[in-house]
Amino acid sequence: MRPSLRMPPAAAALLAMAVALGAVVSVTGSAHAAEPRREEASVSAPTPGPNPLARGAALPTYSAAAVAAADARAKGRTAVADAFDVIARTPTATWLGEWYSDGELVRVLKAETAAAKKQKKVATFVMYAIPARDCAAHSQGGLTPTRYRAWTKLIADTLRGTGSAVIVEPDALAMLGDCTGQGPRTTLIRDAVSALTAAGVAAYIDAGNANWVPPETMAQRLRDAGVLNGRGFATNVSNFSRTATEQQYAERLRALLGGSPRYVIDTSRNGRGWQGGWCNPSGVGLGTAPRAGASGSALDALLWIKRPGESDGLCNGGPAAGSWYEKAALELVRNRAR
């Protein structure tokens, strides 16, 4: 099953917009009746080291949901604005790709880390520019291998000493070998993780989700990509699998990798579980709000890595990938886990 993808639009104006800080909405997960219920995975003891996400994820300086809420409120659509605020007031990751020039990229990184420092929280980013990204599907694009190496070094150098966290290349390992033009993908990810780790940045390599690549295969890909040199891995990015299912998958990967990597899980849209589709599906809802994992757990955090309300692509009535999709946003809020 392919995951849901998104690519944010490039816009210099994003740097000037800020989200009004608000309370994080607390929600809890719920199972979808059609999805087999599984027990919570028993969590093995993690390796030593403080949780880099223990302080919690920061609100980003820009949110399409916040812009949409302000616009709706100005037009007297108060109920709609209130719904969008549920998303806008919840921390989400900032996605980085070739839509930013090097100068814009540095300004974005500095703006987000400065905002996180002010909040006393952790800035979270997603690196999303691997060569042959998305294999020419809705979020196609990416950099050349040579350009990618320079790009990852720039990110690592800019984030040095900020205590940030980075999700490294959603879908890249899950789609390994699915199309031409991927270049030395595993090596590129390994080098990126090494650069981030050397800069003191927590690097989590994307590991797909429980319903995609078998854990034995994914564990080997993660090992080849240098997961043991970084903080760990991420699961369920932009997808809908329930948290308990993803935790079982993550714990299986950890066991196959010797028990040392930590992990994060994307809960942005898994409040009702998978509804049978991956691209702008109906019937889905917001999941558990971001929070740090419990003490003694290998789960560093539940995060909203995908930005809820932004389109997966030109499917099921949605606009281009990364564009605000009001209908989807309203449904996510209406169906949110409680």
Side-chain angles (χ1 to χ4, degrees):
M1 181 185 73
R2 289 188 69 256
S4 194
L5 308 171
R6 49 146 249 110
M7 181 177 71
L14 303 192
L15 302 177
M17 298 181 180
V19 181
L21 301 184
V24 174
V25 178
S26 295
V27 290
T28 56
S30 62
H32 175 229
E35 188 176 87
R37 180 176 292 277
R38 303 182 184 183
E39 297 301 319
E40 288 285 349
S42 58
V43 182
S44 55
T47 54
N51 181 355
L53 289 161
R55 289 178 290 130
L59 283 165
T61 63
Y62 171 80
S63 164
V67 174
D71 180 67
R73 190 161 280 113
K75 295 176 179 178
R77 303 171 69 204
T78 304
V80 170
D82 289 345
F84 293 163
D85 279 341
V86 173
I87 298 174
R89 292 174 179 168
T90 306
T92 55
T94 297
W95 290 60
L96 311 172
E98 73 279 6
W99 47 86
Y100 291 127
S101 68
D102 283 358
E104 290 172 335
L105 176 64
V106 170
R107 288 194 293 272
V108 168
L109 293 170
K110 289 184 175 180
E112 297 304 329
T113 53
K117 183 177 181 179
K118 186 175 182 180
Q119 297 171 49
K120 298 183 180 180
K121 299 290 186 178
V122 181
T124 57
F125 300 95
V126 182
M127 288 172 50
Y128 195 50
I130 201 76
R133 182 185 61 225
D134 202 20
C135 289
H138 291 291
S139 293
Q140 62 184 285
L143 298 167
T144 65
T146 299
R147 181 76 184 92
Y148 188 80
R149 289 186 174 93
W151 183 75
T152 56
K153 184 178 185 303
L154 179 60
I155 292 172
D157 289 346
T158 307
L159 292 180
R160 185 178 300 276
T162 64
S164 302
V166 175
I167 312 303
V168 181
E169 297 299 341
D171 314 327
L173 292 184
M175 299 181 79
L176 187 64
D178 285 1
C179 60
T180 60
Q182 293 185 345
R185 176 168 286 197
T186 301
T187 300
L188 292 174
I189 293 174
R190 185 172 63 244
D191 290 348
V193 169
S194 294
L196 291 167
T197 302
V201 177
Y204 300 90
I205 305 175
D206 183 75
N209 62 72
N211 301 307
W212 199 355
V213 177
E216 294 76 14
T217 301
M218 180 54 71
Q220 186 58 54
R221 293 180 183 182
L222 286 168
R223 187 182 297 274
D224 293 343
V227 70
L228 299 181
N229 298 325
R231 180 67 183 179
F233 56 88
T235 78
N236 207 41
V237 175
S238 295
N239 217 276
F240 311 92
S241 180
R242 290 192 300 114
T243 302
T245 301
E246 288 303 304
Q247 190 172 354
Q248 286 188 323
Y249 172 63
E251 288 294 328
R252 176 58 179 157
L253 288 177
R254 288 192 76 238
L256 290 166
L257 290 165
S260 61
R262 309 284 189 99
Y263 58 90
V264 295
I265 299 173
D266 186 355
T267 59
S268 58
R269 302 190 297 178
N270 73 347
R272 297 191 67 229
W274 187 56
Q275 299 293 303
W278 70 267
C279 191
N280 294 324
S282 59
V284 295
L286 299 173
T288 304
R291 67 187 186 202
S295 177
S297 170
L299 171 67
D300 276 351
L302 303 179
L303 299 174
W304 281 16
I305 300 171
K306 161 73 178 184
R307 292 194 178 209
E310 294 184 9
S311 177
D312 294 320
L314 298 172
C315 52
N316 289 331
S323 300
W324 182 250
Y325 187 13
E326 177 172 307
K327 178 182 176 182
L330 290 173
E331 186 169 27
L332 282 167
V333 174
R334 183 169 60 251
N335 293 331
R336 67 187 183 276
R338 299 176 188 275

